[in-house]
mmCIF file of all heavy atoms in Angstrom:
data_model
loop_
_atom_site.group_PDB
_atom_site.id
_atom_site.type_symbol
_atom_site.label_atom_id
_atom_site.label_comp_id
_atom_site.label_asym_id
_atom_site.label_seq_id
_atom_site.Cartn_x
_atom_site.Cartn_y
_atom_site.Cartn_z
ATOM 1 N N ILE A 1 -41.154 67.064 16.628
ATOM 2 C CA ILE A 1 -41.635 68.107 17.541
ATOM 3 C C ILE A 1 -41.040 67.901 18.930
ATOM 4 O O ILE A 1 -40.467 66.849 19.226
ATOM 5 C CB ILE A 1 -43.179 68.085 17.661
ATOM 6 C CG1 ILE A 1 -43.657 66.735 18.233
ATOM 7 C CG2 ILE A 1 -43.833 68.395 16.315
ATOM 8 C CD1 ILE A 1 -45.117 66.698 18.641
ATOM 9 N N HIS A 2 -41.174 68.909 19.765
ATOM 10 C CA HIS A 2 -40.851 68.767 21.189
ATOM 11 C C HIS A 2 -42.114 68.368 21.946
ATOM 12 O O HIS A 2 -43.206 68.852 21.627
ATOM 13 C CB HIS A 2 -40.360 70.094 21.779
ATOM 14 C CG HIS A 2 -39.064 70.570 21.207
ATOM 15 N ND1 HIS A 2 -38.021 69.735 20.899
ATOM 16 C CD2 HIS A 2 -38.638 71.835 20.902
ATOM 17 C CE1 HIS A 2 -37.004 70.447 20.424
ATOM 18 N NE2 HIS A 2 -37.356 71.711 20.405
ATOM 19 N N ARG A 3 -41.949 67.495 22.936
ATOM 20 C CA ARG A 3 -43.024 67.292 23.909
ATOM 21 C C ARG A 3 -42.855 68.402 24.943
ATOM 22 O O ARG A 3 -41.993 68.330 25.825
ATOM 23 C CB ARG A 3 -42.954 65.920 24.572
ATOM 24 C CG ARG A 3 -44.167 65.687 25.482
ATOM 25 C CD ARG A 3 -44.160 64.327 26.144
ATOM 26 N NE ARG A 3 -45.306 64.212 27.026
ATOM 27 C CZ ARG A 3 -46.308 63.359 26.872
ATOM 28 N NH1 ARG A 3 -46.309 62.523 25.830
ATOM 29 N NH2 ARG A 3 -47.313 63.315 27.726
ATOM 30 N N THR A 4 -43.634 69.443 24.809
ATOM 31 C CA THR A 4 -43.431 70.660 25.587
ATOM 32 C C THR A 4 -43.824 70.470 27.049
ATOM 33 O O THR A 4 -44.691 69.656 27.371
ATOM 34 C CB THR A 4 -44.236 71.824 24.982
ATOM 35 O OG1 THR A 4 -45.599 71.404 24.804
ATOM 36 C CG2 THR A 4 -43.650 72.240 23.645
ATOM 37 N N PRO A 5 -43.196 71.232 27.947
ATOM 38 C CA PRO A 5 -43.485 71.080 29.373
ATOM 39 C C PRO A 5 -44.839 71.661 29.773
ATOM 40 O O PRO A 5 -45.421 72.472 29.045
ATOM 41 C CB PRO A 5 -42.357 71.872 30.040
ATOM 42 C CG PRO A 5 -41.973 72.902 29.028
ATOM 43 C CD PRO A 5 -42.151 72.236 27.691
ATOM 44 N N VAL A 6 -45.320 71.215 30.920
ATOM 45 C CA VAL A 6 -46.516 71.787 31.543
ATOM 46 C C VAL A 6 -46.080 72.485 32.814
ATOM 47 O O VAL A 6 -45.452 71.876 33.685
ATOM 48 C CB VAL A 6 -47.559 70.690 31.863
ATOM 49 C CG1 VAL A 6 -48.779 71.304 32.562
ATOM 50 C CG2 VAL A 6 -47.977 69.956 30.597
ATOM 51 N N LEU A 7 -46.362 73.771 32.920
ATOM 52 C CA LEU A 7 -45.952 74.561 34.078
ATOM 53 C C LEU A 7 -47.154 74.982 34.911
ATOM 54 O O LEU A 7 -48.271 75.101 34.397
ATOM 55 C CB LEU A 7 -45.178 75.804 33.631
ATOM 56 C CG LEU A 7 -43.877 75.582 32.849
ATOM 57 C CD1 LEU A 7 -43.201 76.919 32.560
ATOM 58 C CD2 LEU A 7 -42.921 74.658 33.591
ATOM 59 N N THR A 8 -46.900 75.212 36.191
ATOM 60 C CA THR A 8 -47.947 75.694 37.097
ATOM 61 C C THR A 8 -47.424 76.891 37.877
ATOM 62 O O THR A 8 -46.213 77.139 37.928
ATOM 63 C CB THR A 8 -48.376 74.598 38.093
ATOM 64 O OG1 THR A 8 -47.233 74.212 38.872
ATOM 65 C CG2 THR A 8 -48.927 73.382 37.372
ATOM 66 N N SER A 9 -48.331 77.629 38.485
ATOM 67 C CA SER A 9 -47.970 78.790 39.300
ATOM 68 C C SER A 9 -48.916 78.877 40.483
ATOM 69 O O SER A 9 -50.128 79.023 40.299
ATOM 70 C CB SER A 9 -48.056 80.081 38.481
ATOM 71 O OG SER A 9 -48.046 81.220 39.315
ATOM 72 N N THR A 10 -48.371 78.790 41.674
ATOM 73 C CA THR A 10 -49.190 78.894 42.882
ATOM 74 C C THR A 10 -49.920 80.227 42.933
ATOM 75 O O THR A 10 -51.113 80.301 43.264
ATOM 76 C CB THR A 10 -48.310 78.724 44.143
ATOM 77 O OG1 THR A 10 -47.687 77.438 44.094
ATOM 78 C CG2 THR A 10 -49.148 78.835 45.406
ATOM 79 N N LEU A 11 -49.214 81.297 42.573
ATOM 80 C CA LEU A 11 -49.825 82.624 42.631
ATOM 81 C C LEU A 11 -50.981 82.755 41.640
ATOM 82 O O LEU A 11 -52.052 83.288 41.979
ATOM 83 C CB LEU A 11 -48.783 83.705 42.354
ATOM 84 C CG LEU A 11 -49.296 85.140 42.542
ATOM 85 C CD1 LEU A 11 -48.281 86.010 43.247
ATOM 86 C CD2 LEU A 11 -49.670 85.764 41.196
ATOM 87 N N LEU A 12 -50.796 82.250 40.408
ATOM 88 C CA LEU A 12 -51.866 82.348 39.416
ATOM 89 C C LEU A 12 -53.038 81.439 39.772
ATOM 90 O O LEU A 12 -54.193 81.756 39.467
ATOM 91 C CB LEU A 12 -51.327 82.030 38.022
ATOM 92 C CG LEU A 12 -50.259 82.995 37.496
ATOM 93 C CD1 LEU A 12 -49.904 82.678 36.056
ATOM 94 C CD2 LEU A 12 -50.698 84.454 37.622
ATOM 95 N N ASN A 13 -52.756 80.326 40.442
ATOM 96 C CA ASN A 13 -53.842 79.484 40.951
ATOM 97 C C ASN A 13 -54.665 80.234 41.989
ATOM 98 O O ASN A 13 -55.897 80.217 41.979
ATOM 99 C CB ASN A 13 -53.282 78.207 41.581
ATOM 100 C CG ASN A 13 -52.790 77.203 40.549
ATOM 101 O OD1 ASN A 13 -53.062 77.333 39.366
ATOM 102 N ND2 ASN A 13 -52.053 76.202 41.004
ATOM 103 N N GLU A 14 -53.970 80.915 42.900
ATOM 104 C CA GLU A 14 -54.664 81.681 43.939
ATOM 105 C C GLU A 14 -55.465 82.830 43.329
ATOM 106 O O GLU A 14 -56.593 83.113 43.740
ATOM 107 C CB GLU A 14 -53.645 82.217 44.945
ATOM 108 C CG GLU A 14 -52.991 81.129 45.796
ATOM 109 C CD GLU A 14 -51.870 81.663 46.664
ATOM 110 O OE1 GLU A 14 -51.502 82.854 46.509
ATOM 111 O OE2 GLU A 14 -51.339 80.901 47.497
ATOM 112 N N LEU A 15 -54.885 83.462 42.329
ATOM 113 C CA LEU A 15 -55.541 84.601 41.684
ATOM 114 C C LEU A 15 -56.814 84.177 40.958
ATOM 115 O O LEU A 15 -57.815 84.900 40.963
ATOM 116 C CB LEU A 15 -54.566 85.248 40.694
ATOM 117 C CG LEU A 15 -54.929 86.600 40.106
ATOM 118 C CD1 LEU A 15 -54.990 87.660 41.199
ATOM 119 C CD2 LEU A 15 -53.912 87.002 39.046
ATOM 120 N N SER A 16 -56.778 83.007 40.355
ATOM 121 C CA SER A 16 -57.928 82.532 39.573
ATOM 122 C C SER A 16 -58.897 81.674 40.379
ATOM 123 O O SER A 16 -60.038 81.456 39.956
ATOM 124 C CB SER A 16 -57.432 81.722 38.368
ATOM 125 O OG SER A 16 -56.768 80.547 38.801
ATOM 126 N N GLY A 17 -58.434 81.172 41.523
ATOM 127 C CA GLY A 17 -59.270 80.277 42.309
ATOM 128 C C GLY A 17 -59.384 78.894 41.702
ATOM 129 O O GLY A 17 -60.286 78.115 42.042
ATOM 130 N N THR A 18 -58.475 78.574 40.794
ATOM 131 C CA THR A 18 -58.481 77.278 40.114
ATOM 132 C C THR A 18 -57.083 76.685 40.159
ATOM 133 O O THR A 18 -56.134 77.325 40.620
ATOM 134 C CB THR A 18 -58.885 77.428 38.631
ATOM 135 O OG1 THR A 18 -57.890 78.219 37.965
ATOM 136 C CG2 THR A 18 -60.236 78.106 38.485
ATOM 137 N N GLN A 19 -56.959 75.452 39.678
ATOM 138 C CA GLN A 19 -55.648 74.854 39.443
ATOM 139 C C GLN A 19 -55.399 74.888 37.943
ATOM 140 O O GLN A 19 -56.126 74.255 37.171
ATOM 141 C CB GLN A 19 -55.602 73.407 39.933
ATOM 142 C CG GLN A 19 -55.452 73.247 41.427
ATOM 143 C CD GLN A 19 -55.320 71.762 41.778
ATOM 144 O OE1 GLN A 19 -56.315 71.052 41.918
ATOM 145 N NE2 GLN A 19 -54.094 71.292 41.908
ATOM 146 N N ILE A 20 -54.372 75.632 37.519
ATOM 147 C CA ILE A 20 -54.113 75.803 36.089
ATOM 148 C C ILE A 20 -52.854 75.029 35.695
ATOM 149 O O ILE A 20 -51.822 75.110 36.358
ATOM 150 C CB ILE A 20 -53.920 77.284 35.718
ATOM 151 C CG1 ILE A 20 -55.061 78.146 36.256
ATOM 152 C CG2 ILE A 20 -53.823 77.435 34.202
ATOM 153 C CD1 ILE A 20 -54.842 79.631 36.055
ATOM 154 N N PHE A 21 -52.970 74.338 34.571
ATOM 155 C CA PHE A 21 -51.835 73.606 34.017
ATOM 156 C C PHE A 21 -51.570 74.165 32.616
ATOM 157 O O PHE A 21 -52.359 73.958 31.694
ATOM 158 C CB PHE A 21 -52.148 72.107 33.983
ATOM 159 C CG PHE A 21 -52.416 71.540 35.351
ATOM 160 C CD1 PHE A 21 -53.715 71.553 35.870
ATOM 161 C CD2 PHE A 21 -51.399 71.049 36.145
ATOM 162 C CE1 PHE A 21 -53.976 71.059 37.144
ATOM 163 C CE2 PHE A 21 -51.644 70.561 37.419
ATOM 164 C CZ PHE A 21 -52.934 70.563 37.921
ATOM 165 N N PHE A 22 -50.475 74.908 32.496
ATOM 166 C CA PHE A 22 -50.142 75.601 31.255
ATOM 167 C C PHE A 22 -49.309 74.688 30.351
ATOM 168 O O PHE A 22 -48.183 74.332 30.701
ATOM 169 C CB PHE A 22 -49.356 76.882 31.538
ATOM 170 C CG PHE A 22 -50.119 77.952 32.255
ATOM 171 C CD1 PHE A 22 -50.026 78.096 33.630
ATOM 172 C CD2 PHE A 22 -50.920 78.847 31.554
ATOM 173 C CE1 PHE A 22 -50.709 79.103 34.302
ATOM 174 C CE2 PHE A 22 -51.612 79.854 32.215
ATOM 175 C CZ PHE A 22 -51.508 79.984 33.589
ATOM 176 N N LYS A 23 -49.853 74.327 29.201
ATOM 177 C CA LYS A 23 -49.119 73.549 28.210
ATOM 178 C C LYS A 23 -48.315 74.522 27.355
ATOM 179 O O LYS A 23 -48.869 75.289 26.572
ATOM 180 C CB LYS A 23 -50.093 72.739 27.349
ATOM 181 C CG LYS A 23 -49.442 71.916 26.240
ATOM 182 C CD LYS A 23 -48.544 70.818 26.774
ATOM 183 C CE LYS A 23 -48.120 69.875 25.647
ATOM 184 N NZ LYS A 23 -47.051 68.935 26.073
ATOM 185 N N CYS A 24 -46.999 74.494 27.509
ATOM 186 C CA CYS A 24 -46.137 75.582 27.012
ATOM 187 C C CYS A 24 -45.653 75.357 25.588
ATOM 188 O O CYS A 24 -44.491 74.990 25.345
ATOM 189 C CB CYS A 24 -44.968 75.767 27.959
ATOM 190 S SG CYS A 24 -45.467 76.361 29.584
ATOM 191 N N GLU A 25 -46.528 75.625 24.634
ATOM 192 C CA GLU A 25 -46.148 75.521 23.230
ATOM 193 C C GLU A 25 -45.264 76.685 22.777
ATOM 194 O O GLU A 25 -44.768 76.682 21.648
ATOM 195 C CB GLU A 25 -47.396 75.417 22.352
ATOM 196 C CG GLU A 25 -48.095 74.074 22.455
ATOM 197 C CD GLU A 25 -47.228 72.934 21.933
ATOM 198 O OE1 GLU A 25 -47.002 72.848 20.713
ATOM 199 O OE2 GLU A 25 -46.772 72.105 22.758
ATOM 200 N N ASN A 26 -45.062 77.654 23.656
ATOM 201 C CA ASN A 26 -44.061 78.686 23.380
ATOM 202 C C ASN A 26 -42.655 78.090 23.390
ATOM 203 O O ASN A 26 -41.711 78.701 22.881
ATOM 204 C CB ASN A 26 -44.164 79.839 24.381
ATOM 205 C CG ASN A 26 -44.164 79.376 25.825
ATOM 206 O OD1 ASN A 26 -44.759 78.345 26.165
ATOM 207 N ND2 ASN A 26 -43.512 80.120 26.698
ATOM 208 N N PHE A 27 -42.512 76.872 23.931
ATOM 209 C CA PHE A 27 -41.231 76.165 23.915
ATOM 210 C C PHE A 27 -41.158 75.137 22.778
ATOM 211 O O PHE A 27 -40.208 74.359 22.708
ATOM 212 C CB PHE A 27 -40.992 75.450 25.252
ATOM 213 C CG PHE A 27 -40.809 76.380 26.420
ATOM 214 C CD1 PHE A 27 -41.345 76.062 27.659
ATOM 215 C CD2 PHE A 27 -40.110 77.564 26.297
ATOM 216 C CE1 PHE A 27 -41.179 76.906 28.751
ATOM 217 C CE2 PHE A 27 -39.933 78.426 27.375
ATOM 218 C CZ PHE A 27 -40.470 78.094 28.603
ATOM 219 N N GLN A 28 -42.160 75.129 21.906
ATOM 220 C CA GLN A 28 -42.153 74.231 20.755
ATOM 221 C C GLN A 28 -41.094 74.672 19.746
ATOM 222 O O GLN A 28 -40.648 75.819 19.765
ATOM 223 C CB GLN A 28 -43.538 74.228 20.102
ATOM 224 C CG GLN A 28 -43.762 73.217 18.997
ATOM 225 C CD GLN A 28 -43.435 71.801 19.428
ATOM 226 O OE1 GLN A 28 -42.340 71.306 19.129
ATOM 227 N NE2 GLN A 28 -44.350 71.164 20.152
ATOM 228 N N ARG A 29 -40.689 73.783 18.874
ATOM 229 C CA ARG A 29 -39.785 74.173 17.780
ATOM 230 C C ARG A 29 -40.417 75.316 17.000
ATOM 231 O O ARG A 29 -41.602 75.327 16.746
ATOM 232 C CB ARG A 29 -39.524 72.993 16.845
ATOM 233 C CG ARG A 29 -38.734 71.855 17.467
ATOM 234 C CD ARG A 29 -38.444 70.772 16.451
ATOM 235 N NE ARG A 29 -37.476 71.215 15.458
ATOM 236 C CZ ARG A 29 -37.271 70.607 14.284
ATOM 237 N NH1 ARG A 29 -38.001 69.547 13.951
ATOM 238 N NH2 ARG A 29 -36.365 71.068 13.442
ATOM 239 N N MET A 30 -39.645 76.301 16.641
ATOM 240 C CA MET A 30 -40.019 77.571 16.012
ATOM 241 C C MET A 30 -40.949 78.418 16.867
ATOM 242 O O MET A 30 -41.395 79.469 16.466
ATOM 243 C CB MET A 30 -40.551 77.435 14.568
ATOM 244 C CG MET A 30 -41.707 76.536 14.263
ATOM 245 S SD MET A 30 -43.343 76.958 14.923
ATOM 246 C CE MET A 30 -43.625 78.609 14.370
ATOM 247 N N GLY A 31 -41.178 77.991 18.120
ATOM 248 C CA GLY A 31 -41.836 78.862 19.087
ATOM 249 C C GLY A 31 -43.341 78.852 19.120
ATOM 250 O O GLY A 31 -43.948 79.738 19.734
ATOM 251 N N ALA A 32 -43.990 77.868 18.482
ATOM 252 C CA ALA A 32 -45.455 77.848 18.499
ATOM 253 C C ALA A 32 -45.995 76.467 18.154
ATOM 254 O O ALA A 32 -45.316 75.652 17.520
ATOM 255 C CB ALA A 32 -46.021 78.876 17.507
ATOM 256 N N PHE A 33 -47.253 76.234 18.546
ATOM 257 C CA PHE A 33 -47.929 74.955 18.330
ATOM 258 C C PHE A 33 -48.022 74.572 16.863
ATOM 259 O O PHE A 33 -48.203 73.400 16.519
ATOM 260 C CB PHE A 33 -49.342 75.011 18.931
ATOM 261 C CG PHE A 33 -50.311 75.838 18.123
ATOM 262 C CD1 PHE A 33 -51.141 75.255 17.178
ATOM 263 C CD2 PHE A 33 -50.388 77.220 18.306
ATOM 264 C CE1 PHE A 33 -52.019 76.014 16.422
ATOM 265 C CE2 PHE A 33 -51.268 77.987 17.561
ATOM 266 C CZ PHE A 33 -52.089 77.385 16.610
ATOM 267 N N LYS A 34 -47.904 75.528 15.968
ATOM 268 C CA LYS A 34 -48.164 75.259 14.552
ATOM 269 C C LYS A 34 -47.146 74.324 13.918
ATOM 270 O O LYS A 34 -47.382 73.772 12.841
ATOM 271 C CB LYS A 34 -48.249 76.575 13.777
ATOM 272 C CG LYS A 34 -49.484 77.374 14.178
ATOM 273 C CD LYS A 34 -49.843 78.461 13.206
ATOM 274 C CE LYS A 34 -51.177 79.098 13.601
ATOM 275 N NZ LYS A 34 -51.630 80.110 12.651
ATOM 276 N N MET A 35 -46.033 74.103 14.599
ATOM 277 C CA MET A 35 -45.075 73.109 14.122
ATOM 278 C C MET A 35 -45.724 71.730 14.047
ATOM 279 O O MET A 35 -45.412 70.925 13.160
ATOM 280 C CB MET A 35 -43.863 73.083 15.059
ATOM 281 C CG MET A 35 -42.761 72.130 14.646
ATOM 282 S SD MET A 35 -41.973 72.669 13.116
ATOM 283 C CE MET A 35 -40.953 71.232 12.769
ATOM 284 N N ARG A 36 -46.628 71.454 14.964
ATOM 285 C CA ARG A 36 -47.297 70.146 15.007
ATOM 286 C C ARG A 36 -48.138 69.912 13.753
ATOM 287 O O ARG A 36 -48.044 68.862 13.101
ATOM 288 C CB ARG A 36 -48.196 70.070 16.251
ATOM 289 C CG ARG A 36 -47.437 70.123 17.568
ATOM 290 C CD ARG A 36 -48.403 70.211 18.752
ATOM 291 N NE ARG A 36 -47.705 70.275 20.026
ATOM 292 C CZ ARG A 36 -47.351 69.219 20.760
ATOM 293 N NH1 ARG A 36 -47.655 68.000 20.338
ATOM 294 N NH2 ARG A 36 -46.732 69.371 21.909
#
């Protein structure tokens, strides 16, 4: 499997009022977490 990246967005943090850490399984092999 790929160890997928974690991305953040200042704008989405401001919009939600939280700090969000997106675990990007869209970058996993075959494009989804189900590879795991």
